[in-house]
Each structure stands twice: as C-alpha cells, then as structure tokens.
Amino acid sequence: MKAYGETLRQIREQKGLTLKELADGICSISFLSKFERSDSDITLRLFTRVLDKLMMSFDEFLFVHNEFKAGQLERFFKAIGNAYNQNDSDALRKLKEQEKKKWKQSGLEMYKHHVLMLQMYESIIDNKAMVEEVHKEDIQRLADYFFNVEVWGQYEFMLYNATMLFLDADMVLQLSRTAYEKSIRYEEFQKVNEVTGTILMNTIIYLLGPVNKFTNEMKFQAELGEFFSYLNALSVPEHKLFERATLLQLKGAYKLRIGESELGTAMIQKAIHIYTELGAVGQANHIENYLEQIMAYQETDS
Amino acid sequence: MKAYGETLRQIREQKGLTLKELADGICSISFLSKFERSDSDITLRLFTRVLDKLMMSFDEFLFVHNEFKAGQLERFFKAIGNAYNQNDSDALRKLKEQEKKKWKQSGLEMYKHHVLMLQMYESIIDNKAMVEEVHKEDIQRLADYFFNVEVWGQYEFMLYNATMLFLDADMVLQLSRTAYEKSIRYEEFQKVNEVTGTILMNTIIYLLGPVNKFTNEMKFQAELGEFFSYLNALSVPEHKLFERATLLQLKGAYKLRIGESELGTAMIQKAIHIYTELGAVGQANHIENYLEQIMAYQETDS
DNA sequence: CCCTCAATTCCACTATATGAAAATTAATGA
DNA sequence: TCATTAATTTTCATATAGTGGAATTGAGGG
C-alpha cells in the first residue's frame, strides 16, 4: 500500500504549492519533504494542520489515498446490504467467517455483534427458522450494548438500523427513541442524519406491523404519532424530498392501518404519483405492490 | 482547545473498551494511556489504525472533537452562502478582511481567490457595478487555477460552484464540462457528488440566460442538451428526488426558452405540484415566481 | 479481607519525528 | 555558458514518539 506521504505530495503538486508554502507555519520544509517521501511518519497534530491549510477533510484525503474508494465503515455495511438484497447467502457466510475470525483473535464484543447480525440475515435468506434459544442471549447482549453506549456514533446508528428488525417491540421503541434523541447533535453531520432518517422510517414500518394485520386492532397508536413527529422534524429542510415522500407514504399506510381506507389509499397514490412523475419507476412499483398486498388482505377479511 | 487524546478517551470509554483491548495489535498500552492523557502526540499511521478498530471515520472523530461542529471547509462556504442569502454585506466584508489577512501573511493564491469571490458577492448585494478592469486579471487567474488543477477536490468543486457566475460563458462551458468529468471518480463520495449536482444545475441556469431573454434566439442549444444528460446521469439513483425534481423544472424552463410554451409550463407546473404535495411551500413559491416572471416578459413581447 | 483487573507511573531503551544548515538539483535568464 | 535563484534533498543533532516491564494505585467482587 502506498504511504500517506506520497498521496500528500500528489495533492500538493496538483494545487501548485511548494513545500515551503505548505510547510510554512506548520513544520520545517525538510521534514515535510521527508514525510512526502515516506522517510518519516507525521504526528496527528501536524497533519491536521496540513490538511486544514489544503482546505481538505481527512475523509477526502483518505478517499483519494485509497484510490477513490469509500471508508471501511461504509464498505462493511454496504457489503452486507448488497449481499442481503441479492439473496447471496454465500457472500453473507463469507463476511460472517471474517468477523468470527476477528472475534476469535481479539475477543472484542463488537465482532460478536457482527456475527450475530450476519447470522440473522443469513437465516432470513435461507428461510431457516432462527435458532432462537441460542441467539436469545446474544441479542440481549447487543441490546445491552446500545443501552450502555452513552454517545452513539455513525457505527452505532448503522448497526442499530441493521439489527432493529430482530429486536423485541419494547426494545425497539426505547432504542429508536434514544437513537432519535442522540442524533440531534449530529444535525450537521450528514451521514448520521441520513441513517437516523432510515431508522425512523424502519421503526414506523416495524410498528405498523405485517401487512396481513392491517385489519386488527391497533397497538402502537401513540408511539406511531411520536415517531411520525420525529421524522417530520428531521425532514424540515425543503430539499429532503425523499424523506418527505416516504413520510407521505408511511402516513398513508398508517391511515390504512387504522381503518381510514380512502384517505390512506389517496395518500399512498399521491406518493406513487410523485415517484412516477419523477421517473423513479422502481420505487413507484415497489409502493404499488405494497398497497396491493394490503388491499388483498383486507378484501379477504371483509 | 482540548487535545485529541482526551476525545479518544471519551469515545473509548463510551464503547466500553479497555486500554488493553484498544491498544492490542496497534501500540503499547502505556503509550496509548500517555496519548489519551495528552502526554504525547501520536503518529498518523497509528491513529488511523486506532480509528479503524473503533469503526470510526476521521471526520466523525473530528466532528465529536470539535463539539459537534462541521469542518472548516463546509463552515467557510456555508458562512458565505448565509451572508449572501441574507444580504448581509457586513458579514461578507468581515469574511473578506479575514481572507485578505491570510493572504498578506502567507502570500498563497487561494486566499486571493477567496477575496475576489467575496468582493464579487459584496458588489452584487450593494448593487455596485463590479470594477471590471481591476478584477479582470484576478478572474483570469482564478480560471487558470481551475484549468491547471488536474485532480479537483471538494474545495475546487465548491469554489467553482461559488464563482462560476462571474466567469465568461466559454469558460463556464469548458470548466463545467471538466468539473463533471472530474467528478465521476467521486461517485462514492457524497459531498462532492452533491456539489456536482448544483454545479450542473447552475450551469444550465447560466446557459438558459436571464428570464427576459426567453423570447430571443437560442444560443447554447447543443450545450444545454449535453449538460442535461450529465445531470440525468447523476440523478440515476431513485432516491435522488430533489435532483429529479430540479431536472424536471429546468427541462420545463428549457422548453419555455425554445418557444414550446405549453409543454414547458406543464412541466414546471408538475414540479410545483410535487413540491406542494410534499409540503415544501418555500420551493413551490420560488418556482411559481420564476414561472410568472417568464410569462410576464413573454406577454410584454408579444 | 484478599483477589483481580484497569489504569497510571516510572524507568531504561530504541526508533523516529523534527528543525537548522549545508548540499544538490533544476530552471531561468543575461 | 555561466550565474542566479528557487525548490528540494541530505546531513546531522536533538527532542520526542513509542516499547516493554515492573511497581503502584484504585475500584469492585466474592
């Protein structure tokens, strides 16, 4: 792997800066030269100032350094998401083995969580019943982790989003609420902001329950109201059209759920219409199927 | 300012890790302890591995470290944007003085660009004619910079987006094209991806020309087609509803521009309708005004 | 109470980060 | 062609990053 210094040199030369100019006020010229030739490493403090001077963020620097590939966190969850969406249980198993290995080497709890998560996705794909008894305590451990971490970071948000579907309703209620509260200080940090959105959406979907229950009595009415208001707050910026469209769609589903069929259908139709107008046919079809499923069950029922 | 080590300690403790666990395989326990107590700095190489183990990105770490504030790059451009949108020429002048000072201290060209940019925004707000002669060469310098930087980073994209409005049409054509091409490798890097979107939108708006010219002959027909196709390519992911809506709106404006009034109006109405349905009244009004302006001019003309 | 584990401190030692000045290279121009 | 100058690399001295170990403190836990 290329050293960081070489990347820095590339960037500096791109910008037409001399060693002297970049080093000025930060470190000696000779040292910067050494670092760029990977004759020496650099301390965090100095490097921060170098990047500041270049008006560059660490993540962007690393992105360039890693040949324009995203960081490990995103790659990890994206790999899981891709494998799951493509029903590729081989890929999931592979990922699971990797994490298991890391766990055995380090004994760190986080890798155990990863193994659990991957196992669960695997069992969904393979349509195997989850070996509940065995995992029960692992799940509890995972939930405990979420309850104990005081400040959530992007990792916790993403992990929770990827596992909430396996947790009990009362846990989900508490944790999603916690997640929303903890996310507020990340308002300016786009990535966390976005995961929070998905968490809230998934929570609402979770609380609405399976489609074939849409005619029974309602369990989480108050809580749904609460989470709708969170999602509303998150979608305040007017350019967040995707969040707003999803909100519309979910509100429609909610109306359907509580029996206001005409209103609910109308709202979902609106959402479908918007997606269609914008040429997002995949999404439009997806919602349409969802709506049809509900209708089918309700017909059976009546 | 708090030292990095302290922040790391907070995070480590939050995650319930011991020094031993975090240091294992990376560095000695006693050293990590030293670093966390700011008794010592840490090298970039080691710190990268620490963050990797924590599944944390540099930017997120710095975000937490800086008390949940965005990085300097974004703060800088956001400050300018805010001041401009609020017609606050005092704030702009203040920013300008800051950059001027940096320029005098370092002699770096980039600060001169910043001064130029701020001066131009200032003159728009104060409705003063730009002192063209004086700035002509500065503008040329800025354009030269864009032409010479081989690999654009987030900074270059943002700077170009903020200044293109002051450049000549032929420069804008070339540079926007370049910008799009250079942005392709940043597909996975959200922030650059987003600025690219705005650059393309602004380019199209620039090429469409002022509203009161909407009845004259068309200059950049071919180029507009080109940029529409770029923006189309960028908006492929179906969740990019804002980009898609803007595209609809701009295509409508284009139709109006080339005389297809009914079709153009219909498209823009669609966009307005979507914003309205999604409760984005600000945006909806904004587009409505735009449409009315065009219509007013066309009526005068006929 | 003892026992254990996490963290700090101290020490001795090595590797290397960092700065100042000298040497080299490259480019430019008279 | 030879100065001249700027940019970079080398050299070398020193401060400090980083290791490993051992002794100490402190906080539970049984």
Side-chain angles (χ1 to χ4, degrees):
Chain A
M1 167 71 82
K2 203 173 55 172
Y4 292 131
E6 298 177 47
T7 308
L8 182 66
R9 167 149 299 187
Q10 275 178 27
I11 294 170
R12 178 177 61 78
E13 288 179 345
Q14 291 294 338
K15 300 219 176 194
L17 292 178
T18 66
L19 278 173
K20 178 190 166 70
E21 286 171 321
L22 184 54
D24 188 55
I26 300 178
C27 64
S28 73
I29 300 172
S30 66
F31 173 67
L32 190 58
S33 163
K34 263 187 174 176
F35 170 64
E36 288 189 352
R37 283 173 290 122
S38 6
D39 266 14
S40 171
D41 203 347
I42 194 172
T43 51
L44 182 59
R45 196 177 47 86
L46 284 188
F47 194 63
T48 306
R49 294 169 63 191
V50 171
L51 286 187
D52 263 8
K53 192 153 188 175
L54 290 170
M55 291 284 244
M56 196 173 207
S57 70
F58 262 96
D59 282 1
E60 187 183 353
F61 178 83
L62 288 179
F63 186 75
V64 174
H65 179 76
N66 298 322
E67 282 147 340
F68 299 87
K69 295 267 174 294
Q72 23 100 50
L73 215 196
E74 265 129 88
R75 278 217 304 278
F76 179 62
F77 283 100
K78 193 179 266 180
I80 297 175
N82 285 345
Y84 178 68
N85 288 329
Q86 294 164 17
N87 280 353
D88 186 347
S89 57
D90 276 348
L92 283 178
R93 235 189 314 280
K94 235 175 175 174
L95 284 166
K96 191 181 68 183
E97 291 311 319
Q98 275 178 26
E99 298 303 302
K100 212 177 241 170
K101 204 168 136 195
K102 285 186 201 166
W103 179 60
K104 278 180 185 155
Q105 280 182 355
S106 68
L108 290 187
E109 206 188 6
M110 62 184 297
Y111 296 119
K112 217 173 172 181
H113 298 330
H114 297 173
V115 173
L116 172 66
M117 165 174 63
L118 287 158
Q119 222 146 30
M120 290 168 147
Y121 279 115
E122 215 183 304
S123 65
I124 294 183
I125 287 186
D126 295 349
N127 225 336
K128 280 185 275 187
M130 270 212 291
V131 216
E132 288 233 7
E133 290 316 307
V134 185
H135 292 321
K136 204 88 190 195
E137 57 180 33
D138 286 342
I139 295 181
Q140 187 55 51
R141 252 220 181 60
L142 178 63
D144 285 347
Y145 175 73
F146 289 127
F147 280 118
N148 289 331
V149 182
E150 182 57 31
V151 177
W152 287 25
Q154 190 179 346
Y155 168 72
E156 281 77 18
F157 286 102
M158 294 186 86
L159 185 64
Y160 175 61
N161 184 51
T163 54
M164 55 178 285
L165 141 89
F166 308 114
L167 305 181
D168 293 338
D170 52 335
M171 281 183 188
V172 169
L173 276 175
Q174 274 189 75
L175 285 174
S176 289
R177 195 174 287 132
T178 311
Y180 175 69
E181 282 158 7
K182 289 187 188 304
S183 80
I184 293 176
R185 58 198 327 198
Y186 282 97
E187 203 189 337
E188 292 188 32
F189 199 83
Q190 205 178 12
K191 299 201 170 164
V192 169
N193 213 273
E194 281 176 11
V195 207
T196 310
T198 359
I199 289 178
L200 292 178
M201 294 172 194
N202 286 333
T203 305
I204 290 174
I205 292 172
Y206 184 110
L207 294 181
L208 284 173
V211 167
N212 56 8
K213 290 249 177 88
F214 264 40
T215 44
N216 301 346
E217 72 166 313
M218 190 62 185
K219 242 191 198 161
F220 301 110
Q221 196 132 10
E223 287 85 352
L224 275 165
E226 178 188 347
F227 283 103
F228 272 120
S229 82
Y230 295 157
L231 192 50
N232 247 325
L234 208 73
S235 317
V236 167
E238 295 206 342
H239 62 268
K240 294 204 163 189
L241 296 191
F242 178 69
E243 282 81 353
R244 284 167 176 255
T246 310
L247 196 48
L248 182 59
Q249 172 194 346
L250 292 178
K251 277 182 181 163
Y254 171 71
K255 292 291 176 194
L256 280 175
R257 183 73 174 79
I258 60 172
E260 300 187 22
S261 300
E262 320 83 48
L263 183 51
T265 312
M267 292 174 86
I268 296 187
Q269 295 286 12
K270 263 190 199 171
I272 296 175
H273 183 249
I274 288 173
Y275 280 110
T276 311
E277 289 287 20
L278 294 179
V281 280
Q283 279 287 334
N285 285 335
H286 185 249
I287 307 176
E288 197 136 26
N289 287 336
Y290 176 74
L291 183 57
E292 276 169 12
Q293 270 188 319
I294 299 174
M295 299 317 253
Y297 274 110
Q298 289 193 329
E299 219 134 299
T300 322
D301 189 62
S302 59
Chain B
M1 169 71 83
K2 204 172 53 173
Y4 292 130
E6 297 177 47
T7 309
L8 181 67
R9 166 148 299 186
Q10 275 178 26
I11 293 171
R12 177 177 62 78
E13 289 179 344
Q14 292 294 338
K15 300 219 176 194
L17 292 176
T18 65
L19 277 173
K20 179 188 164 72
E21 285 172 321
L22 184 54
D24 189 55
I26 300 177
C27 63
S28 71
I29 300 172
S30 62
F31 173 68
L32 190 58
S33 166
K34 259 187 179 176
F35 169 64
E36 287 190 351
R37 285 173 290 118
S38 0
D39 266 13
S40 172
D41 204 346
I42 194 171
T43 52
L44 181 59
R45 194 179 48 87
L46 284 189
F47 194 63
T48 307
R49 294 169 64 192
V50 171
L51 285 187
D52 264 7
K53 192 153 188 175
L54 290 171
M55 292 283 245
M56 197 173 208
S57 69
F58 263 96
D59 282 2
E60 187 183 352
F61 178 84
L62 288 179
F63 186 75
V64 174
H65 178 76
N66 298 322
E67 282 147 340
F68 299 88
K69 294 266 173 296
Q72 22 98 52
L73 217 196
E74 265 129 87
R75 277 216 306 278
F76 179 63
F77 283 100
K78 192 179 268 181
I80 297 175
N82 285 344
Y84 178 67
N85 288 329
Q86 293 162 19
N87 278 355
D88 185 347
S89 57
D90 275 348
L92 284 178
R93 235 187 315 278
K94 235 175 174 173
L95 284 165
K96 192 182 68 183
E97 291 311 319
Q98 273 179 26
E99 297 303 301
K100 212 177 243 170
K101 204 169 138 194
K102 286 187 201 167
W103 180 59
K104 279 181 184 156
Q105 280 183 355
S106 68
L108 290 187
E109 206 188 6
M110 63 184 296
Y111 297 120
K112 216 173 172 180
H113 297 332
H114 297 174
V115 173
L116 171 67
M117 165 173 63
L118 286 159
Q119 220 146 34
M120 288 168 147
Y121 279 116
E122 215 183 302
S123 64
I124 294 183
I125 287 187
D126 295 350
N127 227 337
K128 280 184 275 186
M130 269 211 292
V131 216
E132 289 234 7
E133 290 317 306
V134 185
H135 291 323
K136 205 90 191 192
E137 57 179 32
D138 287 341
I139 295 182
Q140 186 55 49
R141 252 221 180 61
L142 177 63
D144 285 347
Y145 175 72
F146 289 127
F147 280 118
N148 288 331
V149 182
E150 183 56 30
V151 178
W152 286 25
Q154 190 179 345
Y155 168 73
E156 280 78 17
F157 286 103
M158 294 186 86
L159 184 64
Y160 175 61
N161 183 50
T163 55
M164 55 179 286
L165 140 90
F166 308 113
L167 304 181
D168 293 338
D170 52 335
M171 281 184 189
V172 170
L173 277 176
Q174 273 189 75
L175 285 174
S176 289
R177 195 175 286 131
T178 311
Y180 175 70
E181 281 157 8
K182 289 187 188 303
S183 80
I184 292 176
R185 58 199 327 199
Y186 283 97
E187 203 189 336
E188 292 188 32
F189 199 82
Q190 205 178 13
K191 299 202 172 168
V192 169
N193 213 272
E194 282 176 11
V195 208
T196 310
T198 4
I199 288 178
L200 292 177
M201 294 172 195
N202 286 331
T203 305
I204 291 174
I205 292 173
Y206 185 110
L207 294 180
L208 283 174
V211 167
N212 56 7
K213 289 248 177 88
F214 264 40
T215 44
N216 300 346
E217 74 169 307
M218 189 63 184
K219 242 190 197 162
F220 301 110
Q221 196 133 8
E223 287 86 352
L224 275 164
E226 177 188 349
F227 283 103
F228 271 119
S229 81
Y230 295 157
L231 192 50
N232 247 325
L234 208 74
S235 317
V236 167
E238 295 205 345
H239 62 268
K240 294 202 166 191
L241 296 191
F242 177 68
E243 282 81 352
R244 284 167 177 255
T246 309
L247 198 46
L248 183 58
Q249 171 195 347
L250 292 178
K251 276 180 180 163
Y254 172 71
K255 291 292 177 195
L256 280 176
R257 183 75 174 76
I258 60 172
E260 300 188 21
S261 300
E262 321 81 50
L263 184 51
T265 312
M267 293 174 85
I268 294 186
Q269 295 287 10
K270 264 190 198 170
I272 295 174
H273 183 249
I274 289 173
Y275 280 110
T276 311
E277 288 287 21
L278 295 178
V281 280
Q283 279 287 333
N285 285 335
H286 185 249
I287 308 176
E288 198 135 27
N289 286 337
Y290 176 74
L291 183 57
E292 275 168 13
Q293 270 188 319
I294 299 174
M295 299 317 254
Y297 275 109
Q298 289 193 329
E299 218 134 298
T300 321
D301 191 62
S302 61

